[in-house]
Structure formats: C-alpha cells, structure tokens
C-alpha cells in the first residue's frame, strides 16, 4: 500500500447503505472494475475516496468540471484527515502525486501533446499510477474517450466508475463504449435507502399537461393529412406498385437469400405493402423462406412504420443496387421532402422530430408554469422555494410589453419570467439567473447589500418594468453574483428563481428547493435526473421538507399515446425510481406509478391537472406514501413486465390472447354444451323411440361435431401453441435460472433463489427472480426480455418441437439470450434446461444457411409485434 494513503481514515460512522456497498467491494473489484450507481446525496465522492484508500495505489481522479474536481480534494481533507493535513495530492495531471485530481478535458489536452502515444502510456507507467477513478463518466465527449480507452488497452488499471445515471438513452455505440470503459454495474445505492436514512427528502414527480395552441393543432392536423393522402395515393400508384413488384427481393427471392436474411425487415415491408395493395403473394415465394404449403400467413396492416422501413431502404441503404431507377427514386425523394418526411438522410412518416420540436417548446407550457407556481405559492406561502429550469434564454423577448405577453411563441428563461412577472401575484419574490443575465426585484436590494456591497455591481431598471433590475458586475466575478442569488434564495428573499439548466443544474446546490419545474425539452435521462436531484436533497433547516418535481407535457391529440412529448417523458421516468401516486404505495421506476390512464385525451386534461395540483398540495401524504412503501422492501430488483397486447380490453380478450382454454372449457364450452344437450334431447327424443338408441347416439355425435368440433379444435391448437402464458413464462424463467446456475453466473445459494410469475389486473404479466442480488436479477431480467421480444438476430434459435406439433404444423421460435449464445457449449446447456422445463426442442445456429433461413422465417412470424413494446424491465423496491 502507498504509505501516504495509509494515513487516511474516514472520521465518521458509515451509513448502512454505504457499509453494505463497501462490504461487497472485494468481490466486485476482482475483475479490476468497480462500477457503482450512486444518486445525489449518497456520499458518492466520500465512497470514492474510501475505495482509493482501500486499493492503496497511486490514483488519478477524473471529474467533468473544475467545481467537482475541487470537491474531491475538499471531501478528502474534511472527512479523511484530522485537520486537513494531507499534502500528497496534485491538481496537475502533468505533475502527478499520490492522488491527482483532474478534469477529463485536461487529460485529453495532455494526451494530444504526445505525438508518439507510447510516450503517453510510458508516462503513467513511470509515475506508477494504477487506479483510475471516473466520476460521472457519462459526461465524456466523443473525443475524450480515446485517451482513456487507449490507456486502458495498453496498461492494467483498477477502474472505479461512479455515476448518478448511466447514459442509457445514448446511442448504442456510446453505451457500449461507456460499459467497455467502466465495466458492468456492480452495485447501486438505492434512493429508498437514502430517503429511509433521511439523506434525501420525501418527494414526488408530477406531470402537468397542456393542449397545443390553435396554430400548433392546425400544423399537426395538416401534417397528418398530407401523410395520409400520400399513403392513400401510394396504395393506388400503379407505377410504384410495379416498381416494388420488380424489386429483386420480390421478383427473385431465391437468388438473393443472403441479402434477405440480413435485412428481413426490408423484405417484410415489401410483402406487407404489396399485400395492402391487394397483390397476392405467391406461395412459392414464401416456400423459399421455409414456409410449408399448409401454413397460413396473415400479414399485418400497413402501418406508417412499415412505410418508413420501405423508403429508408429504397432511398438510402439499397439505393446503390437500384441505380437504373435513380431518376424515379429522385422524384420520390423530392415528393417526400415536400411533405417533410425525408430530411438528413432519414425517412420519418410519424413526424417525431418535426412535431416534437413544435410540442416540446409549445408556449402552452408557459400557462402550465403559471398554474403550477401559483398553486405551490398558495400551498406553501413564504416557505416556497421554487426553481424553474429551461434550455434557452430568449433575450429577444426582454422588451415585450405587458399587453403583448400572449404573443410570445417560444419557451425560455425570459418568456417564463415575462409570464410570471405579469400573471404571478407575488412578483417581488421573482428572480432570473443565467450565464449572461441576472434580474432581481428592487425590493431585495437591501438584502442583497447585506451579503455583498452593492457598490461592486450595477443595477439597471428593465425597460418594460422599472421594478425589476438587470444586475451587472463591476469588480466581482459571475460566480459571486450566482452565490449571492443562491443565498437570497436560501434566505427566502427570492422564492421563485428562473434559470438555465446548464447553470443551475449540476454542481449548483440549494438544499431549500421544495418545488422544481423542469421546463427543459433538450437533454437526456442523465441531465433530467441531475436537475431532479436538486430538489430531493435534504434541508438541514427543515427536517420535514418534501420536494415536488414538475414535468411538462404538451399533448398531440392526433395519436392515441399522447404524442412524442409524452412518450419522451415516459422514457425519462425509466431513469429514476419514485413512489406511486395511487391508493397502493410502492416504489418503482415507471411512468405508470403516477396512475394516469393509458390514453390521455384532450377532454381529460383539465380534470387530470386539477387532480395533480390537489395531490401536490398534500405534502404530508407524500411522506406517508414513502414511509408505507419503504417498509415493503429491502433492495431494488429488476422485474420483467410482459404487456397485454390485445386490441380488446384484457377481460374480453384473455381467452384469445392468453389462451386460458381451461376457463374456456369449464365455463363457456360446458355451459353451451349443456344447453345443446338439453335442446337436442327435447327436439329429437322421438328418434330414440322410432329408430333406436344407437341411431339416436350417432345423430347426437354428428350434431355435436358440427356445432363444436371447430371450436374444440381451435382451442386445443391454441393451447398446444401457447398454453397458460403466465405459467409458460415461469418455465422459461426457470430454464434461464438453471442455466445461469450451471454456468456460474449466480453465486447466491440455490435454495434461496426462485422464479415468480404472476398476472396483474390489466392483463400484463410480471416475472422476476426472488432472492438474487441486483447483478443476478439484472442478468435474469435481460435474458428473459431477449427471449420475449420480437426476434432480431441471435446467434442461436430454439424451435419448440414434438411429433404432435410437427403433424399439426405448429412451431414456436425463441432467441437464445446473448449471455448463453456466445458459445455453442453454453447454448447447448440452455437447450438442455429448456427441454427439462418446456419440452422437446431443436437448436439452430443462425450464421449458417439453414439457420439463417429459419431466422428469417422466425422474424416474419414476429412481424406483428415488430414495432410494439412486448416487454419491459422495471426496477421495483422489494
């Protein structure tokens, strides 16, 4: 161990969740990686220093900003020394010490100074740096990855990754780079633990919905109309239909099988389009793909997503193969550009980007902010500490007169300020802070002067309202103004603070915040979670503090799911856990915990908003819900939720979708057979007397088969193919668990771990691993999701077989999860446990000709669910 690091020692008792994480440290670091998710308020930096101390090697700590870099040194001196006496540290990566604190940017700049990168690697070897601590590594910009990946690939290090939110919503390549650098997640400090220990306050997320303005509605409706007209025209366009029929995939599929296998979605789109046009798909084409003559292929409806796939390939991916049709493709391209469907080499019939920009920055959200802030002020009065965060300043609206406020058509710092200045009753408590603009009300000048003498600053009255002053700095820095505004906010002189998320987001700390409005529409899970973290910190001066976090959403009434703005909000909720908002108290990470109806209609908006405002006022209820929910669990667990996808409500659809044929037999079939039996006897009793009992029985049997034979056959077929879905899911889960045990992925005692599968009220099915640790739960949940989701491109496929199934031409296709599909020996072990739990099957390697042919067939079988969310991994406190 490094001698100077041996003098460091944590001076306080560890919190229970910190001690639990450190207890498992030795196991996790065995692969030279320790990757931890730790939310704001969990002491992430202190844990990082303790890990450095335990590893005992010279260390480079990398942080995203200078402020956070400096916090590391401050925490080390304050918590690990007696009187800030540790001197073996450096802030200069060029002159490293036992512990060197630096930013990612400074390391990248240092990396660029080496023409020969071998000298760069040699530098770290010379200084014997063996531990790299990556704080908030999700901040890494693309060019910053290289210096770290290169270093890791050329020298062995202990890699310690600490983050509040992994970049799950980044591109697949960025997520892959992130986990390549940091390793798989080893442990997580759960928000419920922090609330339980009072390191975070009780809090709740609220969503306030708005309706688009008339101009926005007209724009959306007109856009949808143009798309619908184009689709209708296309279905009757003989030139385009002929062009698609001549496509090599449709015209000569047997010649281009390899291409078909690698792009099954494209081929599916061609078949689905032609089927929608009324073109008969010849059986011979389907037989080439492995379908038998007896198999019935039902093509799904031509949704806009299938048109996207078709045109994205025609205009981009497949264009080089269609050079003889270039002039025609160019005309199609121009037509799509005209209706804003084709831009930046991307086809988008759904209009996600175009309509999202319109709705996400809708001025209707300005009215939402007024309603929220007004309600919160009525509820909390002088105790209100509200922050509104947004993306842009919009200085062009600074001179907008009061009588023209409603003409503001963009959301931003100044538009929000102008609306609050005009419509909020307590405007004296309002202030603005951003990198280039600070505005305060003149009534707080005295309080301002008590913190810092006013002579250091300039105060210019606003042109449109002389009661508000623009604050400029004469001698002090920008940071000193922000510090003053923060103190005024903490003291209550400012009660509503409007700012940019970049300035007040990460690193800015005001524990008194009890209401946060996220009026930001640009950014990721990471940034939204960090902003949210500002409001859930505990306030030492108010032990019963609760935090209300407000999210804004503008509805697109032309689609059933509420539109892209609501959809992005739903996905962002996957990044953080919170307490439910219904009668049952539980903790999980989904949008569903807020208990909104599945379809949010415009007519319901006002009622929903009134209910939300009412819930938000009852802050004692939020505390109570957390208290009730926390005692129901001990750790965060991943569950897999399998969605009920039927068109009809679950109770009407369940015997069709979930194939509960026992219920069908016992209740419906038995009842109808009884009625049939009585009716037949009453009508035909004379046959028994005139022609004999034998003739009567034959007549009864024939009538019974005619009436119920098909229903009975169909029910049996469905049961053979699917069985009880919840029981079948449990058997699949058991096969996964047994394989994980045999391959050594699960270290927990086998007697303590089991699979549970249950159906909930709306028809969804929940399956989870009981008794495993978070890492084991994650492996199980991921593997189960891969099996249940529409088949993509697994290395191995399992096909369920039996003599009876082959005779009836019934096949089921399943992906072998990636964790088992990397090696044939592992895939065979999974197949063995599948056979034990679910019966006979065959395993196919999809990278050979026969396997690729079967893979395409399997993907076509799943074509109905290609654009549906079949399952979801949910994080639950249990």
């Amino acid at each position: 161990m490094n001698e100077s690091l041996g003098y460091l020692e944590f001076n306080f008792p560890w919190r229970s969740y910190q001690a639990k994480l450190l207890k498992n440290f030795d196991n996790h670091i065995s692969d030279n990686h320790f990757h931890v998710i730790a939310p704001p308020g969990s002491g992430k930096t202190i844990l990082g220093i303790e890990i450095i101390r335990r590893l005992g090697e010279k260390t480079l700590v990398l942080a995203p900003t200078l402020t956070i870099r400096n916090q590391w040194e401050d925490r080390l001196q304050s918590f690990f020394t007696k009187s800030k006496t540790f001197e073996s540290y450096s802030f200069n990566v060029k002159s490293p010490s036992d512990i060197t604190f630096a930013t990612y940017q400074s390391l990248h700049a240092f990396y660029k100074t080496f023409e020969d990168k071998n000298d760069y690697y040699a530098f770290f070897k010379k200084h014997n740096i063996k531990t790299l601590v990556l704080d908030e590594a999700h901040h890494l910009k693309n060019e910053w990855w290289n210096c770290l990946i290169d270093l890791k690939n050329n020298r062995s290090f202990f890699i310690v990754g600490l983050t509040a939110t992994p970049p799950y919503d980044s591109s697949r390549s960025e997520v892959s780079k992130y986990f390549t650098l940091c390793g798989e997640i080893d442990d997580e400090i759960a928000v419920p633990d922090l609330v339980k220990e009072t390191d975070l306050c009780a809090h709740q997320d609220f969503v306030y919905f708005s309706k688009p303005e008339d101009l926005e509605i007209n724009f959306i409706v007109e856009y949808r109309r143009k798309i619908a007209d184009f689709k209708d025209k296309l279905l009757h366009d003989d030139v385009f239909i002929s062009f698609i029929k001549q496509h090599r995939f449709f015209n000569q599929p047997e010649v281009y099988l390899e291409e078909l296998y690698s792009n099954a979605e494209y081929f599916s789109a061609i078949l689905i389009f032609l089927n929608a046009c009324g073109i008969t798909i010849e059986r011979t084409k389907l037989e080439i793909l492995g379908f038998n003559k007896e198999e019935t292929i039902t093509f799904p409806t031509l949704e806009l997503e299938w048109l996207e796939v078709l045109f994205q390939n025609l205009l981009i991916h497949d264009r080089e193969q269609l050079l003889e049709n270039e002039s025609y493709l160019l005309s199609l391209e121009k037509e799509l550009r005209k209706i804003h469907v084709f831009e930046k080499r991307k086809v988008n019939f759904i209009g996600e980007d175009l309509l999202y920009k319109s709705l996400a920055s809708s001025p209707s959200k300005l009215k939402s902010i007024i309603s929220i802030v007004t309600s919160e002020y009525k509820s909390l009065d002088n105790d209100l500490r509200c922050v509104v965060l947004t993306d842009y300043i919009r200085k062009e609206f600074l001179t907008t007169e009061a009588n023209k406020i409603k003409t503001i058509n963009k959301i931003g710092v100044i538009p929000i300020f102008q609306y609050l200045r005009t419509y909020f009753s307590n405007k004296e408590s309002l202030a603005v802070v951003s990198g280039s603009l600070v505005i305060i009300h003149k009534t707080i000048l005295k309080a301002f002067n008590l913190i810092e003498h006013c002579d250091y600053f300039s105060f210019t009255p606003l042109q449109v309202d002389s009661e508000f002053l623009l604050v400029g700095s004469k001698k002090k820095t920008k940071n000193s103004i922000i510090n003053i505004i923060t103190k005024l906010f903490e003291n209550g002189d400012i009660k509503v603070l409007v700012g940019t998320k970049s300035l007040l987001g990460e690193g800015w700390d005001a524990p008194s915040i009890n209401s946060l409005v996220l009026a930001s529409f640009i950014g990721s899970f990471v940034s939204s979670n960090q902003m949210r973290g500002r409001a859930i910190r505990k306030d030492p001066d108010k032990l019963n503090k609760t935090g209300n976090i407000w999210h804004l959403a503008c509805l697109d009434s032309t689609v059933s799911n509420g539109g892209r703005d609501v959809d992005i909000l739903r996905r962002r909720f996957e990044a953080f856990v919170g307490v439910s908002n219904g009668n049952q108290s539980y903790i999980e990470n989904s949008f569903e915990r807020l208990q909104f109806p599945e379809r949010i209609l415009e007519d319901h908006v006002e009622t929903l908003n009134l209910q939300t405002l009412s819930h938000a006022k009852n802050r004692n209820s939020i505390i109570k819900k957390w208290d009730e929910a926390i005692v129901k669990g001990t750790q965060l667990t991943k569950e897999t939720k399998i969605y009920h996808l039927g068109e009809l409500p679950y109770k009407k659809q369940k015997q069709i979708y979930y194939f509960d044929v026992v219920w069908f037999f016992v209740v419906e079939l038995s009842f109808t057979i009884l009625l049939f039996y009585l009716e037949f006897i009453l009508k035909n009793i004379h046959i028994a007397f005139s022609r004999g009992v034998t003739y009567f029985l034959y007549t009864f049997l024939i009538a019974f088969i005619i009436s119920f034979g098909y229903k009975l056959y169909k029910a049996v077929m469905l049961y053979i193919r699917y069985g009880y879905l919840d029981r079948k899911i449990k058997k699949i889960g058991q096969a996964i668990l047994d394989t994980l045990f045999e391959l050594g992925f699960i270290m927990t005692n086998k007697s303590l771990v089991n699979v549970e599968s249950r159906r909930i009220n709306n028809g969804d099915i929940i399956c989870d691993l009981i008794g495993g640790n978070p890492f084991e739960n994650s492996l199980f949940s991921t593997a189960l999701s891969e099996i249940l989701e529409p088949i993509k491109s697994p290395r191995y496929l399992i096909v369920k077989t039996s003599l009876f199934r082959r005779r009836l031409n019934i096949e089921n296709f399943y992906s072998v999860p990636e964790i088992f599909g990397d090696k044939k020996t592992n895939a065979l072990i999974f197949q063995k446990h599948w056979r034990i739990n679910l019966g006979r099957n065959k395993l196919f390697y999809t990278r050979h000709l026969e396997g690729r042919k079967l893979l395409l067939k399997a993907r076509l079988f799943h074509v109905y669910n290609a654009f549906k969310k079949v399952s979801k991994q949910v994080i639950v406190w249990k």
Side-chain angles (χ1 to χ4, degrees):
M1 173 181 279
N2 184 287
E3 187 176 342
S4 66
L5 297 183
Y7 291 112
L8 297 176
E9 186 175 357
F10 187 56
N11 297 328
F12 304 91
W14 292 107
R15 294 283 190 179
S16 59
Y17 54 83
Q18 294 171 330
K20 181 180 174 184
L21 182 141
L22 292 170
K23 182 182 176 182
N24 298 318
F25 170 70
D26 290 338
N27 290 332
H28 292 313
I29 201 65
S30 59
D31 64 350
N32 288 359
H33 291 83
F34 189 48
H35 187 185
V36 176
I37 300 175
S42 60
K44 174 164 57 70
T45 304
I46 291 170
L47 284 168
I49 296 167
E50 173 65 13
I51 291 165
I52 292 169
R53 188 191 72 79
R54 292 190 180 197
L55 290 172
E57 303 290 353
K58 290 185 74 171
T59 301
L60 173 63
V61 177
L62 294 166
T65 65
L66 288 171
T67 302
I68 296 175
R69 181 203 70 174
N70 296 340
Q71 283 176 2
W72 275 83
E73 189 268 336
D74 176 70
R75 300 293 190 275
L76 183 147
Q77 301 288 9
S78 301
F79 291 90
F80 287 83
T81 66
K82 295 298 181 184
S83 54
K84 301 190 175 183
T85 54
F86 187 80
E87 296 180 354
S88 299
Y89 73 90
S90 169
F91 285 132
N92 186 354
V93 70
K94 297 177 184 177
S95 303
S97 187
D98 290 339
I99 302 180
T100 304
F101 304 104
T103 63
Y104 292 109
Q105 189 173 5
S106 64
L107 179 67
H108 179 250
F110 181 57
Y111 174 73
K112 289 197 297 184
T113 63
F114 292 92
E115 289 187 17
D116 185 347
K117 300 310 176 191
N118 288 318
D119 294 336
Y120 171 69
Y121 315 136
F123 175 86
F124 287 88
K125 183 176 181 180
K126 174 186 173 184
H127 289 280
N128 203 29
I129 295 173
K130 293 184 178 179
T131 300
L132 295 178
V133 177
L134 311 176
D135 189 12
E136 305 291 8
H138 55 257
H139 280 280
L140 287 173
K141 295 181 179 178
N142 286 333
E143 65 269 20
W144 294 357
W145 287 103
N146 297 334
C147 57
L148 282 166
I149 294 291
D150 276 7
L151 198 56
K152 181 180 179 180
N153 290 341
N154 284 274
R155 183 164 165 74
S156 177
F157 290 95
F158 290 115
I159 306 287
V160 179
L162 304 168
T163 184
T165 312
Y168 290 126
D169 62 336
S170 299
S171 68
R172 182 174 293 183
S173 62
E174 287 183 6
V175 171
S176 175
K177 283 192 294 186
Y178 173 82
F179 284 103
T180 299
L181 184 61
C182 298
E184 293 300 320
I185 294 169
D186 290 298
D187 216 333
E188 178 174 3
I189 293 177
V191 166
D193 277 325
L194 294 167
V195 175
K196 184 179 180 180
E197 296 274 2
T198 69
D199 285 333
L200 292 180
C201 71
H203 54 277
Q204 182 58 289
D205 295 276
F206 298 101
V207 178
Y208 199 94
F209 296 100
S210 62
K211 303 175 186 178
E213 304 287 315
D214 288 343
L215 281 174
E216 293 167 322
I217 293 172
N218 293 338
F219 174 74
I220 292 168
V221 170
E222 180 63 16
Y223 179 84
R224 300 277 186 223
R225 186 190 62 76
K226 287 179 181 177
I227 299 297
D229 289 347
F230 176 82
K231 179 182 173 183
D232 290 342
K233 177 186 170 187
L234 203 67
L235 290 171
H236 299 91
D237 186 340
D238 291 336
V239 176
F240 185 75
I241 293 170
S242 176
F243 169 61
I244 295 299
K245 286 173 71 177
Q246 293 304 313
H247 192 282
R248 63 189 185 283
F249 281 8
F250 185 75
N251 202 26
Q252 294 179 294
E254 67 281 359
V255 179
Y256 298 97
L257 283 178
E258 276 298 321
E259 270 194 272
L260 284 178
Y261 300 149
S262 62
N263 198 348
E265 209 173 39
Y266 185 19
F267 181 60
S268 300
I270 289 172
L271 297 182
I272 291 164
F273 172 77
L274 291 175
N275 180 72
C277 296
I279 307 298
T280 302
I281 310 299
E282 299 170 19
R283 295 298 310 182
T284 52
K285 297 185 188 300
L286 295 172
E287 287 169 21
I288 289 170
L289 304 175
F291 291 96
N292 298 324
K293 291 180 180 180
E294 296 82 12
E295 287 182 273
T296 303
I297 307 300
T298 305
F299 291 100
T301 307
L302 179 65
E303 305 289 354
L304 292 177
E305 288 90 345
W306 286 115
L307 278 184
E308 282 184 7
V309 172
L310 182 60
F311 278 94
Q312 185 69 36
N313 278 278
L314 291 175
L315 298 180
I316 300 296
H317 307 311
D318 196 29
R319 196 151 179 169
E320 287 186 9
Q321 304 298 319
L322 303 168
L323 291 177
E324 68 275 13
N325 304 106
E326 179 59 28
S327 59
Y328 180 60
L329 291 174
L330 197 58
S331 67
L332 286 174
E333 182 183 318
K334 287 178 181 177
E335 198 169 350
L336 291 181
R337 287 187 188 278
K338 198 179 294 182
I339 57 174
H340 304 289
V341 165
F342 185 60
E343 292 177 2
K344 297 179 180 178
R345 293 174 58 81
K346 184 181 178 184
V347 177
N348 191 332
F349 280 95
I350 311 300
E352 287 182 338
D353 296 336
L354 191 66
L355 300 183
Y356 175 57
K357 287 176 185 175
S358 167
L359 295 176
S361 58
S362 170
S364 67
K365 292 183 178 180
L366 294 168
K367 297 173 186 174
S368 299
I369 293 168
I370 297 298
S371 298
I372 292 166
V373 175
T374 299
S375 178
E376 292 281 59
Y377 180 59
K378 285 180 181 177
S379 174
L380 296 175
D381 197 23
N382 287 328
D383 288 333
L384 177 65
R385 299 291 185 276
C386 178
V387 172
V388 185
L389 293 180
T390 190
D391 299 294
Y392 302 112
I393 298 174
R394 311 282 192 201
K395 284 186 181 179
E396 65 269 26
F397 295 106
L398 195 57
T399 56
T400 303
E401 300 287 345
N403 61 347
K404 294 184 178 178
I405 293 296
K406 290 186 178 179
T407 65
I408 293 176
N409 58 1
K410 292 179 181 177
I411 198 166
V413 170
I414 297 304
I416 293 169
F417 164 73
Q418 292 284 33
Y419 259 74
L420 287 168
R421 179 181 68 82
T422 307
Y423 300 111
F424 179 50
S425 60
N426 187 18
K427 69 176 187 177
E428 295 83 5
S429 64
L430 175 63
V432 166
V433 60
S434 72
S436 60
L437 197 68
V438 175
I439 303 172
I440 62 171
H441 197 271
K442 66 181 183 181
T443 55
I444 66 167
L445 271 177
K446 185 176 179 181
F448 189 106
N449 191 63
L450 290 174
I451 298 170
E452 193 80 59
H453 204 287
C454 287
D455 289 346
Y456 296 131
F457 304 92
S458 63
F459 300 93
T460 309
L462 278 188
Q463 180 182 326
V464 294
D465 190 338
S466 59
E467 292 184 23
F468 283 94
L469 308 172
L470 277 169
V471 183
S473 177
K474 292 179 181 177
K475 299 178 181 178
K476 296 288 183 177
T477 63
K478 179 186 75 175
N479 284 337
S480 67
I481 297 180
I482 294 170
N483 291 336
I484 294 167
I485 297 296
T486 304
K487 287 176 183 175
L488 290 168
F489 180 77
E490 289 285 285
N491 295 340
D493 300 294
I494 295 171
K495 295 180 176 61
V496 180
L497 185 59
V498 184
T500 50
K501 68 170 189 183
S502 58
L503 187 68
L504 299 186
E506 187 175 353
W508 183 74
D509 196 18
S512 64
I513 298 174
N514 50 27
S515 183
L516 175 69
V517 183
L518 296 176
S520 168
F521 55 90
I522 294 177
S524 59
F525 290 164
V526 171
S527 62
S528 61
N529 203 23
Q530 285 170 344
M531 289 187 288
R532 186 175 172 275
R534 304 305 105 195
I536 65 178
R537 291 181 184 274
K538 70 176 181 180
D539 184 354
D541 299 326
K542 286 191 171 56
L543 298 180
N544 65 338
K545 171 192 165 181
T546 55
N548 286 355
I549 303 108
W550 292 91
H551 308 262
L552 308 179
C554 187
L555 286 178
D556 178 357
S557 57
T558 63
V559 289
S560 60
N561 67 349
R564 168 89 170 190
D565 203 23
V566 177
D567 186 47
I568 284 181
L569 197 58
R570 287 179 187 275
R571 282 188 280 160
R572 283 188 177 176
F573 267 69
E574 294 175 17
F576 44 80
V577 296
V579 72
S580 60
N581 204 25
N583 295 327
Q584 296 293 319
S585 298
Y586 59 89
I587 298 168
E588 69 173 38
N589 70 328
S590 70
F591 186 80
E592 286 77 12
R593 67 181 170 85
L594 298 188
Q595 307 285 303
F596 286 117
E598 285 189 29
R599 293 188 64 184
I600 301 167
L601 305 176
E602 266 197 52
D603 294 342
H604 301 161
V605 165
E606 289 181 18
T607 303
L608 287 174
N609 286 340
L610 287 173
Q611 289 173 353
T612 299
L613 292 173
S614 176
H615 287 312
K617 287 178 181 177
N618 192 356
R619 290 178 177 249
N620 287 331
S621 172
I622 297 172
I623 297 172
K624 184 182 176 184
K625 284 180 182 298
W626 275 101
D627 290 342
E628 290 174 349
I630 282 173
V631 297
K632 294 179 180 178
T634 57
Q635 67 177 31
L636 289 175
T637 302
K638 269 192 178 180
E639 292 184 339
T640 302
K641 179 183 286 187
I642 301 94
Y643 289 115
H644 164 64
L645 297 177
E647 294 295 326
L648 298 174
Y650 164 61
K651 289 184 179 178
K652 294 181 182 178
Q653 178 89 3
K654 69 178 182 178
Q655 70 186 38
I656 302 168
Y657 184 72
Y658 291 113
F659 311 110
D660 285 333
V661 292
V662 171
W663 174 257
F664 180 77
F665 284 147
V666 172
V667 180
E668 186 174 350
L669 199 58
S670 298
F671 183 68
T672 52
I673 287 174
L674 181 62
L675 289 178
F676 170 83
Y677 179 73
L678 291 172
E679 185 180 7
F680 185 86
I681 289 177
L682 290 173
K683 286 183 178 180
N684 300 285
I685 191 69
H686 64 280
I687 295 177
F689 294 109
S690 61
R691 300 197 181 183
V693 175
T694 305
Y695 188 84
F696 173 81
L697 290 175
Y698 277 128
T699 306
F700 175 82
L701 187 61
I702 292 167
F704 180 85
I705 292 171
I706 292 171
S707 298
F708 296 102
Y710 178 71
K711 281 187 179 180
L712 197 63
Y713 168 77
K714 185 177 180 182
V716 170
M717 289 284 285
L718 292 175
Y719 180 70
I720 293 167
R721 186 185 293 276
Y722 298 103
Y724 283 111
L725 189 60
D726 52 343
R727 294 183 188 178
K728 183 173 182 180
I729 296 295
K730 182 173 182 177
K731 289 180 180 179
I732 293 173
Q734 190 62 49
I736 293 170
L737 177 59
D738 293 342
T739 310
L740 288 171
F741 266 118
E742 183 165 341
L743 294 177
F745 287 109
I746 293 186
M747 307 303 294
T748 304
N749 190 305
K750 195 169 186 177
S751 63
L752 301 176
V753 184
N754 65 286
V755 177
E756 273 192 7
S757 179
R758 63 195 180 280
R759 184 178 295 148
I760 55 180
N761 292 335
N762 65 350
D764 296 343
I765 290 174
I766 298 290
C767 184
D768 56 357
L769 188 67
I770 306 298
N773 62 40
F775 177 68
E776 293 164 351
N777 282 321
S778 180
L779 289 179
F780 174 84
S781 185
T782 301
L784 182 58
S785 293
E786 287 178 29
I787 292 173
L788 298 173
E789 286 295 310
I791 290 172
K792 294 186 173 83
S793 186
R795 289 171 64 85
Y796 289 93
L797 270 180
I798 274 187
V799 183
K800 198 167 181 182
T801 63
S802 70
L803 179 63
F804 193 44
R805 282 172 175 273
R806 285 198 298 273
R807 289 287 176 86
L808 294 175
N809 196 29
I810 295 174
E811 290 178 298
N812 289 100
F813 303 95
Y814 302 93
S815 298
V816 173
E818 189 176 344
I819 193 171
F820 308 141
D822 57 340
K823 297 177 184 176
K824 185 176 182 180
T825 52
N826 292 351
L828 288 170
I829 291 170
F830 178 62
Q831 183 194 20
K832 176 185 73 176
H833 289 295
W834 185 283
R835 184 182 298 113
I836 294 168
N837 288 281
L838 291 116
R840 296 179 61 182
N841 64 81
K842 286 187 177 180
L843 184 73
F844 290 91
Y845 181 59
T846 64
R847 300 307 188 252
H848 290 158
L849 184 62
E850 184 185 4
R852 292 193 73 83
K853 194 172 182 180
L854 195 68
L855 176 61
L856 180 57
K857 182 179 178 182
R859 292 184 68 178
L860 288 175
F861 262 111
H862 283 83
V863 82
Y864 262 97
N865 293 331
F867 303 109
K868 292 179 182 177
K869 189 75 174 172
V870 175
S871 68
K872 173 185 174 183
Q873 294 183 52
V874 183
I875 299 172
V876 182
W877 179 252
K878 296 184 71 173

